[in-house]
């Protein structure tokens, strides 16, 4: 992960060519270089582990594997391009649909988030713990503009605080695990590689990443796309799910 971070930082310093993919998202030389490096080095650890990455052409072959590496070589490419230090490298090992190892690295701030299932979560060796906030009122939340506006329009959400937006969804969720914010929201654009590592890190820090119906995301399915998600400690998560369900009834912009 640190070597991959060094590769990305070199491009951040020297500049990287960029182009637009078919879905209108931005990709750079750095994304491709980090993806190739991780594919080579993670793949060498065990050839029986499958591969799913934002920057590698997906094939059904991964579905035959019980364990799969799920990788976002640079989550927050827009922030990377704009020189905003909130982009990360995200790697998860998924087993039978759920992450068992997760790492998120922000090389610009030298922050290494990591978790192994059942062994807690850490950032640079320090144990992580999600917030004890249970009420929406006064909660500090990161999320897409439309979702936040939906919450703010509900009388039950008076006093909710909108935290500065973070492009990288993995870093957004890791910020909840670190107790920096109380909750983070994700709309329908979240993919396996955006959330798998962060999911485990948050869970091991005492929080949950859940869909509106309270179910946990399942990974390495034929489609890597997920429903809207809430990252927060259990009680706050339930309150936000209920509020967002109410907000979704009033608008179909993001639900």
């Amino acid at each position: 992960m640190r070597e991959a971070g060094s590769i990305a930082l070199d491009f951040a310093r020297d500049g990287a060519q960029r182009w637009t993919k078919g879905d209108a998202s931005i990709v750079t030389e750095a994304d491709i270089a980090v993806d190739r490096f991780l594919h080579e080095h993670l793949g060498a650890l065990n050839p029986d582990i499958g591969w799913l990455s934002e920057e590698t052409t997906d094939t059904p072959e991964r579905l035959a594997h019980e364990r799969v590496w799920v990788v976002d070589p640079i989550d927050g490419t827009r922030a990377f391009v704009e020189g905003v230090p909130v982009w990360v490298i995200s790697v998860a090992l998924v087993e039978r649909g759920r992450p068992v190892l997760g790492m998120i690295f922000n090389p610009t701030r030298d922050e290494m988030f990591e978790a192994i299932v059942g062994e807690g979560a850490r950032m640079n060796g320090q144990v992580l713990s999600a917030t004890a906030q249970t009420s929406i009122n006064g909660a500090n939340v990161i999320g897409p503009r439309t979702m936040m506006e939906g919450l703010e329009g509900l009388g039950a959400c008076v006093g909710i605080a909108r935290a500065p937006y973070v492009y990288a969804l993995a870093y957004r969720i890791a910020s909840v695990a670190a107790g920096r914010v109380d909750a983070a929201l994700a709309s329908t654009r979240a993919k396996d590689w955006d959330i798998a590592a962060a999911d485990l890190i948050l869970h091991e820090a005492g929080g949950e990443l859940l869909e509106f119906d309270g179910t946990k995301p399942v990974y390495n399915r034929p489609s890597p796309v997920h429903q809207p998600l809430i990252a927060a400690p259990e009680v706050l998560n339930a309150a936000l799910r209920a509020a967002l369900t109410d907000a979704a009834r009033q608008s179909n912009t993001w639900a």
Side-chain angles (χ1 to χ4, degrees):
M1 289 289 281
R2 291 192 179 279
E3 289 183 66
S6 294
I7 292 169
L9 281 176
D10 286 343
F11 278 104
R13 182 187 63 245
D14 299 335
Q17 291 185 358
R18 72 186 80 163
W19 57 95
T20 301
K21 295 189 287 187
D23 62 358
S25 63
I26 298 172
V27 64
T28 73
E29 290 179 287
D31 296 81
I32 304 305
V34 172
D35 184 67
R36 288 173 177 167
F37 174 86
L38 290 173
H39 198 178
E40 176 186 354
H41 289 270
L42 292 175
L45 297 177
N46 187 331
D48 293 328
I49 299 176
W51 181 261
L52 174 63
S53 168
E54 181 176 16
E55 305 305 343
T56 302
T57 301
D58 190 18
T59 69
E61 186 270 342
R62 64 177 168 82
L63 300 174
H65 291 266
E66 185 175 275
R67 293 187 293 171
V68 177
W69 291 112
V70 178
V71 174
D72 196 337
I74 296 183
D75 184 24
T77 301
R78 187 174 298 276
F80 176 88
V81 167
E82 294 176 359
V84 182
V86 291
W87 53 271
V88 297
I89 299 167
S90 178
V91 172
L93 179 61
V94 166
E95 184 172 37
R96 299 176 185 174
R98 290 291 299 165
V100 295
L101 178 151
M103 299 185 75
I104 295 171
F105 184 40
N106 181 339
T108 65
R109 295 177 173 172
D110 192 29
E111 295 176 336
M112 182 74 77
F113 300 83
E114 53 190 313
I116 296 174
V117 65
E119 297 187 14
R122 291 171 172 77
M123 194 274 284
N124 293 352
Q126 300 297 310
V127 175
L128 297 178
S129 181
T131 177
Q133 178 79 18
T134 58
S135 172
I136 293 178
N137 294 326
N140 200 20
V141 182
I142 302 176
R145 178 182 56 80
T146 52
M147 295 182 80
M148 292 301 303
E149 288 176 351
L151 282 176
E152 291 163 348
L154 296 174
C157 297
V158 173
I160 193 169
R162 191 188 302 200
Y165 188 70
V166 175
Y167 284 125
L169 180 53
Y171 198 48
R172 216 184 298 168
I173 298 169
S175 296
V176 181
R180 296 172 179 172
V181 294
D182 299 314
L185 312 177
S187 62
T188 52
R189 291 189 296 273
K191 312 291 195 306
D192 277 11
W193 47 79
D194 297 313
I195 62 174
D199 185 348
L200 180 64
I201 291 167
L202 176 61
H203 175 76
E204 293 294 317
E208 295 292 347
L209 182 67
L210 302 172
E211 296 180 0
F212 278 23
D213 63 1
T215 60
K216 295 181 179 182
V218 178
Y219 302 96
N220 195 34
R221 300 176 301 178
S223 172
V225 182
H226 294 269
Q227 297 297 313
L229 296 157
I230 299 93
E234 186 175 357
V235 175
L236 179 58
N237 198 307
L240 284 167
R241 294 199 314 270
L244 283 162
T245 298
D246 286 343
R249 293 194 186 104
Q250 302 175 27
S251 170
N252 62 3
T253 302
W254 46 265

